[in-house]
Amino acid sequence: QVQLVESGGGLVQAGDSLRLSCAASGRTFSPYFMGWFRQAPGKEREFVAALSWSGGITYYADYVKGRFTISRDNAKNTVYLQMNSLKLEDTAVYYCARGYGPASVPAGYNLWGQGTQVTVSS
């Protein structure tokens, strides 16, 4: 059974960087979308970034565009989310997901990781 396991979360200060990883056990990512979502306390899960199965097309939410970068390493079955210039409002549990799309909505994914906490302090 395929599983997604996120790692790399932690407590950082505003302006710092973090890189999240999502490792998949089992089959490769092809032909799925791979996405990152986040959920802050009391809020709905929201889209952060996604990339196509080939890695050639990427999608970003406006509020992370220019600061976050999604990428993949097929040899390691791992997807990354590089987060730079972190802001207080980036604090959330970050989830990795796999699905057929649409890329920017949770309903487009049918496999989720357990999440990793990212906390940004002032």
Side-chain angles (χ1 to χ4, degrees):
Q1 185 174 354
V2 178
Q3 289 185 323
L4 302 177
V5 179
E6 302 98 332
S7 61
L11 173 63
V12 296
Q13 291 188 323
D16 285 351
S17 298
L18 272 180
R19 189 177 77 160
L20 305 183
S21 299
C22 172
S25 62
R27 299 183 63 184
T28 65
F29 298 133
S30 175
Y32 305 100
F33 280 100
M34 294 300 301
W36 286 96
F37 289 76
R38 68 187 185 187
Q39 189 166 17
K43 295 187 177 181
E44 293 188 352
R45 191 167 298 189
E46 64 180 11
F47 171 71
V48 175
L51 81 170
S52 61
W53 68 269
S54 66
I57 301 175
T58 55
Y59 307 83
Y60 294 97
D62 287 343
Y63 35 81
V64 304
K65 199 171 294 183
R67 299 189 298 123
F68 291 12
T69 302
I70 188 171
S71 62
R72 66 193 299 159
D73 184 336
N74 288 338
K76 296 182 178 181
N77 273 357
T78 301
V79 174
Y80 303 99
L81 184 68
Q82 177 66 43
M83 305 186 296
N84 298 329
S85 302
L86 283 161
K87 303 177 180 180
L88 297 179
E89 52 264 40
D90 294 320
T91 294
V93 177
Y94 283 71
Y95 297 91
C96 172
R98 188 192 78 173
Y100 290 105
S104 63
V105 296
Y109 298 81
N110 56 12
L111 180 66
W112 293 83
Q114 83 289 350
T116 185
Q117 176 71 46
V118 173
T119 303
V120 184
S121 65
S122 60

